[in-house]
């Protein structure tokens, strides 16, 4: 596959994934669930890993990460930085792995880009019995905006539609959470305003250092409180699901 992204854009995306308040808060929630599931004896697949920022992060958590992405651009940049990390170019709709090879599969804002039934069936296939699926996906179809179009999304989910897809694929849902709740009014406002003033989305993507620090503290507080509170609203659904150990479960 030829390169379609200029290096400076890839660097900007990687920097945003590392520092932007939205990614920091989501990563904090993922870390809490990783601690909850306990030690993972096997590969942790980041399917649709993009620039590979989360593959690096998973390695720092002491896990055995494996990155998979259809486009070579992000993989090439990460391989130059981290030559020892296992990275494979391939489709999340047809994963090049044997049945039961993975202890966990992550779909971090990837499912909305796929034929979701196919993607979830593949995740189920490559997971070992009792293996974990951790995913995030955009919620609330009425929030559809120019950001979804630019990102190549096929859909946004309701809780019920995502739950139905997971159960249809064979997964047991262990936990789910909406995110972010505290910033939800701002997100709604930017989505509505962007229909008239597209530049509003640029401000959300590049909030500035001081504003980003303040928003980061806010989402971190929300994720911490999320241990005890199931937030009623949020533009993203976070789901932890499991492949049954046996067909009798």
């Amino acid at each position: 596959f030829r390169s379609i992204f200029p290096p400076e854009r890839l660097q900007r995306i990687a920097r945003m994934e590392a520092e932007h308040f939205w990614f920091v808060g989501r990563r904090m929630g993922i870390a809490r669930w990783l601690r909850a599931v306990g030690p993972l004896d096997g590969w942790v697949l980041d399917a649709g890993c993009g620039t590979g920022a989360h593959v690096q992060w998973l390695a720092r958590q002491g896990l055995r990460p494996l990155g998979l992405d259809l486009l070579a651009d992000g993989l090439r940049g990460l391989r130059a930085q981290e030559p020892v990390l296992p990275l494979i170019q391939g489709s999340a709709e047809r994963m090049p792995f044997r049945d039961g090879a993975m202890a966990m599969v992550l779909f971090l804002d990837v499912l909305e880009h796929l034929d979701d039934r196919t993607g979830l069936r593949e995740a189920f296939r490559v997971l070992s019995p009792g293996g974990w699926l951790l995913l995030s996906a955009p919620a609330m179809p009425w929030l559809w905006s120019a950001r979804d179009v630019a990102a190549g999304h096929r859909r946004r989910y309701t809780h019920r539609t995502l739950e139905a897809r997971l159960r249809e694929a064979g997964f047991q849902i262990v936990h789910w959470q909406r995110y972010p709740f505290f910033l939800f009014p701002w997100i709604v406002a930017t989505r509505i305003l962007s229909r008239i003033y597209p530049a509003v989305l640029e401000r959300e993507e590049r909030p500035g250092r001081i504003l980003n620090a303040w928003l980061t503290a806010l989402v971190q507080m929300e994720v911490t409180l999320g241990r005890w509170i199931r937030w009623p609203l949020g533009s993203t659904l976070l789901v932890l699901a499991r492949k049954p150990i046996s067909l009798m479960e």
Side-chain angles (χ1 to χ4, degrees), residues 75-142:
L75 300 180
R76 188 180 296 113
L78 179 57
R79 187 171 285 116
Q81 298 176 45
E82 303 280 357
V84 299
L85 286 179
L87 305 168
I88 296 175
Q89 186 176 5
S91 172
E93 295 179 355
R94 193 172 180 179
M95 298 183 187
F97 310 113
R98 61 177 175 79
D99 296 1
M102 304 296 160
M104 175 179 277
V105 172
L106 282 75
F107 273 148
L108 301 181
D109 283 73
V110 169
L111 198 62
E112 64 273 14
H113 297 273
L114 309 177
D115 179 316
D116 52 6
R117 286 187 169 92
T118 301
L120 288 173
R121 282 198 302 267
E122 276 292 273
F124 190 89
R125 179 185 66 79
V126 302
L127 278 170
S128 60
W132 298 90
L133 173 70
L134 201 162
L135 70 83
S136 62
M140 299 185 172
W142 59 270

Side-chain angles (χ1 to χ4, degrees), residues 138-145 148 155-159 161 195:
M140 299 185 172
W142 59 270
L143 281 179
W144 185 269
S145 71
D148 295 282
R155 67 194 74 81
R156 300 183 71 93
Y157 290 91
T158 66
H159 174 252
T161 56
R195 295 167 188 172

